[in-house]
Tab-separated table of all heavy atoms in Angstrom:
chain	number	residue	atom	x	y	z
A	36	MET	N	143.892	130.405	150.270
A	36	MET	CA	143.294	131.305	149.281
A	36	MET	C	143.982	131.171	147.917
A	36	MET	O	143.318	131.230	146.879
A	36	MET	CB	143.374	132.759	149.756
A	36	MET	CG	142.511	133.066	150.944
A	36	MET	SD	140.791	132.757	150.560
A	36	MET	CE	140.230	132.073	152.078
A	58	SER	N	136.111	113.598	122.106
A	58	SER	CA	135.860	113.009	120.797
A	58	SER	C	136.252	111.535	120.738
A	58	SER	O	135.657	110.771	119.982
A	58	SER	CB	136.614	113.784	119.717
A	58	SER	OG	138.005	113.733	119.969
A	74	THR	N	139.487	115.501	143.783
A	74	THR	CA	140.778	115.945	144.312
A	74	THR	C	140.664	117.337	144.921
A	74	THR	O	141.187	117.589	146.012
A	74	THR	CB	141.852	115.938	143.210
A	74	THR	OG1	141.912	114.636	142.627
A	74	THR	CG2	143.203	116.310	143.753
A	80	MET	N	138.832	119.624	152.141
A	80	MET	CA	138.550	118.937	153.404
A	80	MET	C	139.826	118.758	154.227
A	80	MET	O	139.809	118.920	155.452
A	80	MET	CB	137.903	117.574	153.136
A	80	MET	CG	136.512	117.661	152.570
A	80	MET	SD	135.358	118.497	153.668
A	80	MET	CE	135.291	117.352	155.022
A	83	ALA	N	140.644	122.112	155.737
A	83	ALA	CA	139.651	122.482	156.745
A	83	ALA	C	139.852	121.678	158.029
A	83	ALA	O	139.774	122.231	159.136
A	83	ALA	CB	138.244	122.270	156.203
A	90	PRO	N	141.853	115.234	163.316
A	90	PRO	CA	142.721	114.276	162.604
A	90	PRO	C	142.463	114.324	161.097
A	90	PRO	O	141.324	114.208	160.647
A	90	PRO	CB	142.314	112.921	163.178
A	90	PRO	CG	141.561	113.204	164.420
A	90	PRO	CD	141.013	114.592	164.308
Side-chain angles (χ1 to χ4, degrees):
M36 292 300 142
S58 61
T74 305
M80 292 299 294

